């Protein structure tokens, strides 16, 4: 069965490599990665994760001996939220932005869950809280028994650190900041990345065929 990672991401792209690392360490093989983000998030992903062989995503694959061709992930898999004029929105700051975000989460979840030979892993660790909520709502609408919602918990001092994208095989010291903002160094061997499986209840089995022909809004699906 093909495993698809569908994640939301804001301005901290390291959540993608941390989630991938946690899934691999748990024994899951990931065949495809798709990310829902904003224009600002896309720029971060392009610059930090997918910037050629020096991108942190490719560094992770090399370090852990994973063949890049074994995972479908590239610029075409970055799904940017757009307005009605097809203009990429820079951030989620209004009710209308959130509606566009929810629509994108529902569209992609509907698309990937139409095939029976895959499992969809929803990652809600990245982005604004509303991004996590919208992706969770999409999972509750269309999720199947083989699908899962995951969060990743990273040691607080390493979380969102611009130099930490995954625990390297060989520990190294990186610069961190204490609560007062003063720098100090700590070995990456002390970083913990834990995969949290979040239970959810799906209404998909309650939907009749006509409600599974095209993605609909949550209100319509629940009222059905």
């Amino acid at each position: 069965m093909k495993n698809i990672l569908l994640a939301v991401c804001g301005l901290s792209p390291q959540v993608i490599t941390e989630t991938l690392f946690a899934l691999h360490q748990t024994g899951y093989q990931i065949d495809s990665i798709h990310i829902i983000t904003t224009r600002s998030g896309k720029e971060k992903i392009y610059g930090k994760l997918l910037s050629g062989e020096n991108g942190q995503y490719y560094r992770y694959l090399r370090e852990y001996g994973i063949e890049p061709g074994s995972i479908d992930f590239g610029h075409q898999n970055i799904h940017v939220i757009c307005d009605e004029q097809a203009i990429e929105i820079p951030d989620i700051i209004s009710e209308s932005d959130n509606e566009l975000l929810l629509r994108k989460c529902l569209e992609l979840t509907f698309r990937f869950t139409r095939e029976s030979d895959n499992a969809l892993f929803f990652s809600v660790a990245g982005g604004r809280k509303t991004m996590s909520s919208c992706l969770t709502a999409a999972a509750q609408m269309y999720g199947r028994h083989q699908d899962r919602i995951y969060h990743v918990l990273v040691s607080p001092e390493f979380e969102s650190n611009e130099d930490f994208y995954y625990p390297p095989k060989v520990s190294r010291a990186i610069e961190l900041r204490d609560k007062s903002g003063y720098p100090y160094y700590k070995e990456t061997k002390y970083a913990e990345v834990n995969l949290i499986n979040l239970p959810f209840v799906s209404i998909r089995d309650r939907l009749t065929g006509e409600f599974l022909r095209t993605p609909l809004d949550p209100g319509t699906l629940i009222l059905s």
Side-chain angles (χ1 to χ4, degrees):
M1 180 174 287
K2 181 179 179 181
N3 293 327
I4 301 173
L5 174 61
L6 177 60
V8 285
C9 182
L11 300 180
S12 299
Q14 50 264 59
V15 72
I16 303 301
T17 44
E18 291 166 352
T19 301
L20 187 60
F21 168 84
L23 286 165
H24 282 153
Q25 292 300 305
T26 310
Y28 288 114
Q29 174 183 327
I30 300 302
D31 301 288
S32 182
I33 301 173
H34 290 265
I35 301 175
I36 299 170
T37 189
T38 59
R39 185 183 70 217
S40 300
K42 178 193 71 173
E43 293 169 356
K44 285 281 189 178
I45 293 167
Y46 284 6
K48 298 294 185 179
L49 295 187
L50 299 175
S51 54
E53 62 180 18
N54 290 322
Q56 294 290 343
Y57 168 71
Y58 296 109
R59 287 186 178 185
Y60 165 72
L61 297 183
R62 284 199 305 272
E63 186 161 355
Y64 281 86
I66 301 169
E67 175 58 43
S70 67
I71 303 177
D72 173 24
F73 182 45
H75 294 84
Q76 73 281 0
N77 294 22
I78 310 302
H79 306 276
V80 182
I81 305 157
C82 298
D83 63 18
E84 301 299 340
Q85 287 73 46
I87 298 174
E88 298 177 348
I89 65 173
D91 197 1
I92 309 296
I93 56 176
S94 67
E95 184 176 354
S96 61
D97 292 339
N98 196 71
E99 290 175 355
L100 294 169
L101 161 66
L102 180 57
R103 184 187 306 170
K104 178 67 71 175
C105 291
L106 288 166
E107 287 175 353
L108 288 172
T109 300
F110 178 83
R111 167 184 161 189
F112 294 130
T113 56
R114 294 192 76 177
E115 304 296 331
S116 59
D117 62 345
N118 67 40
L120 193 55
F121 296 162
F122 300 89
S123 171
V124 298
R128 291 187 180 276
K129 291 181 179 179
T130 186
M131 298 180 79
S132 301
S133 298
C134 286
L135 189 57
T136 298
Q140 292 171 330
M141 298 299 110
Y142 294 121
R144 305 154 301 175
H145 71 276
Q146 69 264 38
D147 302 326
R148 298 289 183 270
I149 297 179
Y150 289 113
H151 200 311
V152 171
L153 297 180
V154 181
S155 302
E157 63 270 36
F158 291 94
E159 186 178 17
S160 298
N161 183 279
E162 292 191 355
D163 293 324
F164 183 80
Y165 282 79
Y166 58 88
K169 280 190 171 183
V170 178
S171 180
R172 61 185 180 87
I174 63 174
E175 182 179 307
L176 304 174
R177 299 276 173 173
D178 63 19
K179 294 181 179 180
S180 299
Y182 291 103
Y184 69 100
Y185 288 86
K186 191 169 185 177
E187 290 280 335
T188 55
K189 65 182 179 182
Y190 296 109
E192 293 186 9
V193 179
N194 295 308
L195 187 69
I196 309 300
N197 186 357
L198 302 176
F200 70 101
V201 176
S202 172
I203 69 167
R204 186 186 185 95
D205 291 341
R206 300 280 183 171
L207 301 176
T208 58
E210 64 179 299
F211 291 98
L212 292 174
R213 292 196 182 102
T214 185
L216 299 170
D217 63 278
T220 300
L221 293 172
I222 292 173
L223 288 175
S224 70

